[in-house]
Amino acid sequence: MATVKKFAQLSAGVVALLTTWGVGLAGTALAQTLTIYSGRGEALIGPLIEQAEQDLGIDIEVRYGDTAELAIAILEEGSNSPADIFFGQDAGALGALAREGRTVELSDDLLSQVDERFRSPNGQWVGISGRTRVINYNTDLVDPSELPDSIWELTEPEWRGRVGWAPTNGSFQAFVTALRLVEGDERALEWLRGMQENDTIIYNNNTAIVEALGRGEVELGLVNNYYLYRFLAEDPDFPVAQHYTRGDAGSMINVAGVAVLDTTDQPEDAEAFIQYLLTPEGQAFFAEETKEYPLVVGIEPPEDQLSIDEINPPRIDLSDLADLEGTLELLQEAGVL
Amino acid sequence: MAEDISPRSAPFHWMQKVGRPTARPHFILQLVGVMTAIAILLPLVYLLIRAAGAGVEELWTLITRPRTLEITLNSIGLAITVTLLSALIAIPLAFLTVRTDLPGRRFWLIVTTLPLAIPTYVGSFALIAAFGPRGSILQLLLQPLGVERLPSIYGWFGATVAITLFTYPYLLISVRSALQGMDPALEEASRSLGHSSHSTFFRVTLPHLRPAIAAGGLLVALYTLQDFGTPALMRFDSFTRAIFLQYRSSFNRNLAAALALMLVLLVLAILALEYRARTKAKYYSRGSGSRQQQRRIPLGKWKGLALAFCIFITLISLVLPVGVIGFWLYRGMVSGGAGLAPFQGTLTFAFNSIYAAGLAALVSTLFALPIAILAVRFPSRFSTSLEVCSYLGFGMPGIVVALSLVYFGANYLPALYQKLPILIFAYLILFLPQSVGMVRNSLLQVSPTLEESARCLGRTSWQTIRDIVIPLVRPGIISGAMLIFLTAIKELPATLLLAPIGFRTLAIQVWLATAEDAAFSQAAAAALVILAVCTVSTLVILSQEYRQGEKNGVKSRG
């Protein structure tokens, strides 16, 4: 019966452990810590946050996760949310939190630093870095001369079965929303149907598309600008390159941005942190490390990439990107989702 | 003559009416059972609250749109094919590794269990890298022969294969532990009455394995319903994928909850099917409780084929994903010049993973025991509903369970919210039936007369459970705990939302590295460590099982 005794001892041990652990953690939670829910990965913003802790002298802890899931978790947590700041990967999630009244208005000092195209019109959130939609292509299979100038060319027979997209991906849906805003729902539907009929290949997300481009499984992919650089970092000979369709929704700029939540108990620290992200050093970090576009006026874009003005993105109100319902309906109507 | 040996007329307890034990279930047993069931129903309560927030019209549109029917049929089809395929792989494997003189039997015993440790999203990724239409390993090998493009792996085919390859161990472990717990006297009697090994297998062994096959199959089917990673990567439009989509792209919690409730109905339907498949037959013999050494069947000329089968399954379900992971790691460490950097911190992450998954296994086993004992020894509408409740969480997508605990935790238990106990509780909800099923199967093989004798000899019902039941259902307890450990260690959605901040596990590390960063070498390092941890723990558990088996063997010979 030694096993039974062992079992009983173990169970007692477990209970003791659980209790001590719980008490221990409850103790640390009392200290003033700025809590960030981040949809941005640790490899991207981890070093920046460490630096901010040192420079600002505040304790920061981060819960990493999927942007949308974290936003929904904040909604579910209600008035007891431990989060002070939400750092989202796209304007849509920020807009969703703002719509539910879970964000507070930021100070004018912060807002005024960022180009008005890249922040909430009523000051509920502010963009920190920009990412453009681009076309990536396999350099072994596609000659640069045949690259399209507009996303509409992709619906032509020439590109049948050669293009990859990720209809379930947030960035892609933001792009479709932009397309609706720029050209209207009818035209957006027409484009989606054209792509669908042209045997466009569905992938799960941007990473999967770039990975497939590298394998030559697909020749052209609709993705965000910065994925390619991470692949190049692991494999310098990765046979994929970047291309922009200028002036249409295919080169729209979406932002990753932050909002301060209504449940915060340290609004000053939260604003100080956001200010830190907007300093020239913070902005340069995004340009260098993550190959994204700085959004504060007067800071250089990432190396080897076109400037925002050269790309000439369509002018849209990013807050309108929160209207994902309409986009989803359209995607379903076109039979893409 | 042969007809007389069929289980129905075998000289064991088969045909006797179920003798209802006179003792009533112990009060504490009932209390724990009820509390567990109520706790597990929390996600359901959450779903009802949320779905009630949607308008009637909105709900009606959702339910009646053609797409809802399509994803329902897709998911049902997927669950059926995956379960059948898994049975075709798992039952032969279990028999070969337990009952035959297969060369390297113990080695196969371990490696055929391990695919369970590979997260399905990692495994699916590996399959795509190996068999994708273009640029995959297979296509590159065939390119000299002029093959420019392979038939697409994506969709129904890929999803079925991927989920089968990484979930068949549920059935394998279940069937294996039933085979180990079976009284060898049954098969010996059959053989001594002139039956060949072949006909003994189909007439005695297989019918005895029925509850184990049903329980394992149930786990496979429910896992298939709630898996998100594989359908997402294989681009298969499953019900769970639709639920995730609803959350991720519209932030509409109410409609997502309504969809999840429909999935719960599907889970209930599957549970009802399994319940109907159960019989009143008994699976124990008059045996003394100490097991005899089981006879190993010589494979003879089938040895080659049996080995080939084991090798084939291991190659695609274990060697291939490990190979692809190893390649990512190699590429990052050598060509990417990262050196040992991808392994940074993995020791702490591994400790956290083992700690959380180990706690989950222990706690879940503790709570599974009362439910299994009540279900087997005190069958009633009450105990059946407890058992059904315990299965609900396993059929729900992780994100649904996670959000329900976010809701209840943050609003009603803020002191524990995002602390370890809540995470362990989430694992309990998600994984409890793995243990309930395994313990139940073991218990079915133990004759209640032993417990009745113990009671007659003056033991209290608590003492009987402690001294008689638990030691005898040890194989089930161990398999159940192992299953929970292996699945908890790779769990993602609940871990991401509920783990204490900064409590980084290996699964979180894999996700972080692949989700936004495409840092494959880091993901590969963490995934390899998951595998290593699972291999070592499987080894430890199996060797314990083996020692126990030896002891029993010696006892019965003496």
mmCIF file of all heavy atoms in Angstrom, chain B residues 125-155:
data_model
loop_
_atom_site.group_PDB
_atom_site.id
_atom_site.type_symbol
_atom_site.label_atom_id
_atom_site.label_comp_id
_atom_site.label_asym_id
_atom_site.label_seq_id
_atom_site.Cartn_x
_atom_site.Cartn_y
_atom_site.Cartn_z
ATOM 1 N N PHE B 125 2.506 21.619 -39.682
ATOM 2 C CA PHE B 125 3.529 22.402 -40.370
ATOM 3 C C PHE B 125 4.575 21.473 -40.987
ATOM 4 O O PHE B 125 4.980 21.635 -42.138
ATOM 5 C CB PHE B 125 4.197 23.335 -39.358
ATOM 6 C CG PHE B 125 4.462 24.693 -39.888
ATOM 7 C CD1 PHE B 125 3.792 25.793 -39.373
ATOM 8 C CD2 PHE B 125 5.391 24.893 -40.901
ATOM 9 C CE1 PHE B 125 4.028 27.051 -39.872
ATOM 10 C CE2 PHE B 125 5.626 26.152 -41.398
ATOM 11 C CZ PHE B 125 4.948 27.235 -40.886
ATOM 12 N N ALA B 126 4.978 20.468 -40.210
ATOM 13 C CA ALA B 126 5.988 19.531 -40.684
ATOM 14 C C ALA B 126 5.471 18.736 -41.879
ATOM 15 O O ALA B 126 6.190 18.540 -42.864
ATOM 16 C CB ALA B 126 6.391 18.588 -39.555
ATOM 17 N N LEU B 127 4.210 18.317 -41.811
ATOM 18 C CA LEU B 127 3.637 17.552 -42.924
ATOM 19 C C LEU B 127 3.613 18.398 -44.189
ATOM 20 O O LEU B 127 3.901 17.907 -45.286
ATOM 21 C CB LEU B 127 2.211 17.105 -42.582
ATOM 22 C CG LEU B 127 2.081 15.886 -41.673
ATOM 23 C CD1 LEU B 127 0.620 15.609 -41.387
ATOM 24 C CD2 LEU B 127 2.728 14.671 -42.320
ATOM 25 N N ILE B 128 3.264 19.689 -44.030
ATOM 26 C CA ILE B 128 3.225 20.570 -45.203
ATOM 27 C C ILE B 128 4.627 20.729 -45.781
ATOM 28 O O ILE B 128 4.831 20.681 -46.991
ATOM 29 C CB ILE B 128 2.617 21.936 -44.831
ATOM 30 C CG1 ILE B 128 1.141 21.763 -44.475
ATOM 31 C CG2 ILE B 128 2.776 22.926 -45.977
ATOM 32 C CD1 ILE B 128 0.499 22.982 -43.856
ATOM 33 N N ALA B 129 5.603 20.894 -44.874
ATOM 34 C CA ALA B 129 6.975 21.034 -45.350
ATOM 35 C C ALA B 129 7.443 19.780 -46.076
ATOM 36 O O ALA B 129 8.241 19.832 -46.994
ATOM 37 C CB ALA B 129 7.904 21.349 -44.183
ATOM 38 N N ALA B 130 6.911 18.625 -45.667
ATOM 39 C CA ALA B 130 7.370 17.374 -46.265
ATOM 40 C C ALA B 130 6.585 17.000 -47.514
ATOM 41 O O ALA B 130 7.156 16.503 -48.483
ATOM 42 C CB ALA B 130 7.271 16.243 -45.242
ATOM 43 N N PHE B 131 5.282 17.241 -47.502
ATOM 44 C CA PHE B 131 4.441 16.763 -48.611
ATOM 45 C C PHE B 131 3.677 17.860 -49.337
ATOM 46 O O PHE B 131 2.778 17.581 -50.106
ATOM 47 C CB PHE B 131 3.444 15.718 -48.090
ATOM 48 C CG PHE B 131 4.087 14.552 -47.419
ATOM 49 C CD1 PHE B 131 3.910 14.316 -46.067
ATOM 50 C CD2 PHE B 131 4.898 13.685 -48.143
ATOM 51 C CE1 PHE B 131 4.516 13.239 -45.434
ATOM 52 C CE2 PHE B 131 5.510 12.605 -47.525
ATOM 53 C CZ PHE B 131 5.321 12.387 -46.165
ATOM 54 N N GLY B 132 3.989 19.123 -49.070
ATOM 55 C CA GLY B 132 3.297 20.222 -49.732
ATOM 56 C C GLY B 132 3.432 20.117 -51.245
ATOM 57 O O GLY B 132 4.307 19.421 -51.749
ATOM 58 N N PRO B 133 2.562 20.834 -51.954
ATOM 59 C CA PRO B 133 2.540 20.699 -53.407
ATOM 60 C C PRO B 133 3.865 21.079 -54.095
ATOM 61 O O PRO B 133 4.264 20.460 -55.056
ATOM 62 C CB PRO B 133 1.427 21.644 -53.853
ATOM 63 C CG PRO B 133 0.683 21.997 -52.637
ATOM 64 C CD PRO B 133 1.553 21.754 -51.455
ATOM 65 N N ARG B 134 4.505 22.131 -53.580
ATOM 66 C CA ARG B 134 5.741 22.552 -54.246
ATOM 67 C C ARG B 134 6.802 22.900 -53.217
ATOM 68 O O ARG B 134 6.514 23.450 -52.167
ATOM 69 C CB ARG B 134 5.485 23.780 -55.112
ATOM 70 C CG ARG B 134 5.300 23.468 -56.577
ATOM 71 C CD ARG B 134 5.407 24.733 -57.381
ATOM 72 N NE ARG B 134 6.779 25.231 -57.344
ATOM 73 C CZ ARG B 134 7.681 24.979 -58.290
ATOM 74 N NH1 ARG B 134 7.357 24.278 -59.325
ATOM 75 N NH2 ARG B 134 8.901 25.469 -58.189
ATOM 76 N N GLY B 135 8.060 22.597 -53.544
ATOM 77 C CA GLY B 135 9.157 22.983 -52.675
ATOM 78 C C GLY B 135 9.219 22.149 -51.417
ATOM 79 O O GLY B 135 10.051 22.383 -50.551
ATOM 80 N N SER B 136 8.326 21.148 -51.294
ATOM 81 C CA SER B 136 8.386 20.277 -50.128
ATOM 82 C C SER B 136 9.486 19.255 -50.355
ATOM 83 O O SER B 136 9.991 19.094 -51.470
ATOM 84 C CB SER B 136 7.046 19.586 -49.929
ATOM 85 O OG SER B 136 6.742 18.792 -51.052
ATOM 86 N N ILE B 137 9.851 18.548 -49.293
ATOM 87 C CA ILE B 137 10.929 17.566 -49.395
ATOM 88 C C ILE B 137 10.610 16.545 -50.485
ATOM 89 O O ILE B 137 11.437 16.254 -51.344
ATOM 90 C CB ILE B 137 11.112 16.854 -48.032
ATOM 91 C CG1 ILE B 137 11.454 17.904 -46.967
ATOM 92 C CG2 ILE B 137 12.188 15.800 -48.113
ATOM 93 C CD1 ILE B 137 11.402 17.375 -45.550
ATOM 94 N N LEU B 138 9.366 16.022 -50.469
ATOM 95 C CA LEU B 138 8.988 14.999 -51.432
ATOM 96 C C LEU B 138 9.050 15.521 -52.867
ATOM 97 O O LEU B 138 9.573 14.864 -53.766
ATOM 98 C CB LEU B 138 7.572 14.489 -51.115
ATOM 99 C CG LEU B 138 7.111 13.298 -51.956
ATOM 100 C CD1 LEU B 138 7.991 12.083 -51.704
ATOM 101 C CD2 LEU B 138 5.657 12.954 -51.634
ATOM 102 N N GLN B 139 8.535 16.740 -53.071
ATOM 103 C CA GLN B 139 8.529 17.287 -54.424
ATOM 104 C C GLN B 139 9.950 17.499 -54.926
ATOM 105 O O GLN B 139 10.270 17.213 -56.079
ATOM 106 C CB GLN B 139 7.729 18.596 -54.461
ATOM 107 C CG GLN B 139 7.423 19.096 -55.862
ATOM 108 C CD GLN B 139 8.415 20.144 -56.330
ATOM 109 O OE1 GLN B 139 8.962 20.885 -55.528
ATOM 110 N NE2 GLN B 139 8.663 20.192 -57.629
ATOM 111 N N LEU B 140 10.837 17.973 -54.051
ATOM 112 C CA LEU B 140 12.212 18.197 -54.459
ATOM 113 C C LEU B 140 12.885 16.878 -54.814
ATOM 114 O O LEU B 140 13.692 16.799 -55.733
ATOM 115 C CB LEU B 140 12.989 18.915 -53.350
ATOM 116 C CG LEU B 140 12.554 20.367 -53.128
ATOM 117 C CD1 LEU B 140 13.336 20.999 -51.974
ATOM 118 C CD2 LEU B 140 12.719 21.187 -54.395
ATOM 119 N N LEU B 141 12.520 15.811 -54.084
ATOM 120 C CA LEU B 141 13.084 14.494 -54.387
ATOM 121 C C LEU B 141 12.603 13.996 -55.748
ATOM 122 O O LEU B 141 13.328 13.335 -56.480
ATOM 123 C CB LEU B 141 12.674 13.483 -53.304
ATOM 124 C CG LEU B 141 13.419 13.575 -51.978
ATOM 125 C CD1 LEU B 141 12.857 12.581 -50.975
ATOM 126 C CD2 LEU B 141 14.914 13.328 -52.187
ATOM 127 N N LEU B 142 11.336 14.317 -56.060
ATOM 128 C CA LEU B 142 10.746 13.814 -57.305
ATOM 129 C C LEU B 142 11.023 14.726 -58.494
ATOM 130 O O LEU B 142 10.733 14.381 -59.633
ATOM 131 C CB LEU B 142 9.227 13.643 -57.138
ATOM 132 C CG LEU B 142 8.793 12.570 -56.138
ATOM 133 C CD1 LEU B 142 7.285 12.549 -56.003
ATOM 134 C CD2 LEU B 142 9.305 11.191 -56.566
ATOM 135 N N GLN B 143 11.567 15.920 -58.220
ATOM 136 C CA GLN B 143 11.765 16.896 -59.295
ATOM 137 C C GLN B 143 12.585 16.335 -60.462
ATOM 138 O O GLN B 143 12.224 16.564 -61.620
ATOM 139 C CB GLN B 143 12.429 18.154 -58.741
ATOM 140 C CG GLN B 143 12.335 19.314 -59.706
ATOM 141 C CD GLN B 143 12.151 20.632 -58.976
ATOM 142 O OE1 GLN B 143 12.609 20.804 -57.853
ATOM 143 N NE2 GLN B 143 11.490 21.558 -59.608
ATOM 144 N N PRO B 144 13.686 15.579 -60.179
ATOM 145 C CA PRO B 144 14.457 15.022 -61.301
ATOM 146 C C PRO B 144 13.598 14.156 -62.206
ATOM 147 O O PRO B 144 13.905 13.974 -63.386
ATOM 148 C CB PRO B 144 15.531 14.172 -60.602
ATOM 149 C CG PRO B 144 15.644 14.726 -59.227
ATOM 150 C CD PRO B 144 14.300 15.282 -58.882
ATOM 151 N N LEU B 145 12.506 13.607 -61.693
ATOM 152 C CA LEU B 145 11.626 12.779 -62.514
ATOM 153 C C LEU B 145 10.582 13.619 -63.242
ATOM 154 O O LEU B 145 9.677 13.096 -63.870
ATOM 155 C CB LEU B 145 10.906 11.748 -61.631
ATOM 156 C CG LEU B 145 11.808 10.838 -60.793
ATOM 157 C CD1 LEU B 145 10.977 9.970 -59.854
ATOM 158 C CD2 LEU B 145 12.674 9.969 -61.698
ATOM 159 N N GLY B 146 10.717 14.921 -63.105
ATOM 160 C CA GLY B 146 9.807 15.797 -63.827
ATOM 161 C C GLY B 146 8.542 16.148 -63.075
ATOM 162 O O GLY B 146 7.597 16.687 -63.654
ATOM 163 N N VAL B 147 8.499 15.871 -61.782
ATOM 164 C CA VAL B 147 7.301 16.211 -61.005
ATOM 165 C C VAL B 147 7.433 17.650 -60.501
ATOM 166 O O VAL B 147 8.260 17.937 -59.647
ATOM 167 C CB VAL B 147 7.112 15.255 -59.810
ATOM 168 C CG1 VAL B 147 5.872 15.644 -59.011
ATOM 169 C CG2 VAL B 147 7.019 13.827 -60.290
ATOM 170 N N GLU B 148 6.666 18.554 -61.071
ATOM 171 C CA GLU B 148 6.769 19.960 -60.695
ATOM 172 C C GLU B 148 5.833 20.313 -59.551
ATOM 173 O O GLU B 148 6.029 21.283 -58.844
ATOM 174 C CB GLU B 148 6.449 20.854 -61.905
ATOM 175 C CG GLU B 148 7.538 20.861 -62.960
ATOM 176 C CD GLU B 148 8.836 21.497 -62.475
ATOM 177 O OE1 GLU B 148 8.760 22.421 -61.647
ATOM 178 O OE2 GLU B 148 9.912 21.056 -62.913
ATOM 179 N N ARG B 149 4.775 19.555 -59.402
ATOM 180 C CA ARG B 149 3.774 19.897 -58.402
ATOM 181 C C ARG B 149 3.074 18.625 -57.939
ATOM 182 O O ARG B 149 2.642 17.809 -58.751
ATOM 183 C CB ARG B 149 2.756 20.865 -59.027
ATOM 184 C CG ARG B 149 1.788 21.477 -58.040
ATOM 185 C CD ARG B 149 0.913 22.507 -58.734
ATOM 186 N NE ARG B 149 1.408 23.863 -58.572
ATOM 187 C CZ ARG B 149 1.251 24.611 -57.480
ATOM 188 N NH1 ARG B 149 0.625 24.163 -56.482
ATOM 189 N NH2 ARG B 149 1.718 25.830 -57.402
ATOM 190 N N LEU B 150 2.981 18.466 -56.613
ATOM 191 C CA LEU B 150 2.287 17.298 -56.075
ATOM 192 C C LEU B 150 0.808 17.628 -55.901
ATOM 193 O O LEU B 150 0.439 18.789 -55.815
ATOM 194 C CB LEU B 150 2.869 16.928 -54.710
ATOM 195 C CG LEU B 150 4.339 16.520 -54.673
ATOM 196 C CD1 LEU B 150 4.800 16.395 -53.241
ATOM 197 C CD2 LEU B 150 4.530 15.209 -55.413
ATOM 198 N N PRO B 151 -0.043 16.583 -55.851
ATOM 199 C CA PRO B 151 -1.448 16.866 -55.536
ATOM 200 C C PRO B 151 -1.535 17.553 -54.176
ATOM 201 O O PRO B 151 -0.731 17.263 -53.276
ATOM 202 C CB PRO B 151 -2.095 15.484 -55.484
ATOM 203 C CG PRO B 151 -0.999 14.488 -55.604
ATOM 204 C CD PRO B 151 0.233 15.178 -56.084
ATOM 205 N N SER B 152 -2.500 18.444 -54.041
ATOM 206 C CA SER B 152 -2.566 19.269 -52.827
ATOM 207 C C SER B 152 -2.839 18.442 -51.584
ATOM 208 O O SER B 152 -3.676 17.545 -51.571
ATOM 209 C CB SER B 152 -3.656 20.326 -52.982
ATOM 210 O OG SER B 152 -3.820 20.997 -51.766
ATOM 211 N N ILE B 153 -2.093 18.752 -50.530
ATOM 212 C CA ILE B 153 -2.295 18.074 -49.245
ATOM 213 C C ILE B 153 -3.372 18.803 -48.445
ATOM 214 O O ILE B 153 -3.932 18.291 -47.495
ATOM 215 C CB ILE B 153 -0.972 18.039 -48.466
ATOM 216 C CG1 ILE B 153 -1.107 17.207 -47.189
ATOM 217 C CG2 ILE B 153 -0.503 19.439 -48.123
ATOM 218 C CD1 ILE B 153 0.169 17.106 -46.398
ATOM 219 N N TYR B 154 -3.665 20.031 -48.860
ATOM 220 C CA TYR B 154 -4.554 20.886 -48.075
ATOM 221 C C TYR B 154 -6.001 20.415 -48.124
ATOM 222 O O TYR B 154 -6.416 19.724 -49.043
ATOM 223 C CB TYR B 154 -4.466 22.332 -48.555
ATOM 224 C CG TYR B 154 -3.091 22.911 -48.387
ATOM 225 C CD1 TYR B 154 -2.262 23.099 -49.482
ATOM 226 C CD2 TYR B 154 -2.615 23.245 -47.125
ATOM 227 C CE1 TYR B 154 -0.987 23.621 -49.328
ATOM 228 C CE2 TYR B 154 -1.363 23.758 -46.961
ATOM 229 C CZ TYR B 154 -0.542 23.955 -48.067
ATOM 230 O OH TYR B 154 0.705 24.457 -47.895
ATOM 231 N N GLY B 155 -6.753 20.833 -47.121
ATOM 232 C CA GLY B 155 -8.173 20.520 -47.097
ATOM 233 C C GLY B 155 -8.450 19.270 -46.287
ATOM 234 O O GLY B 155 -7.727 18.939 -45.342
#
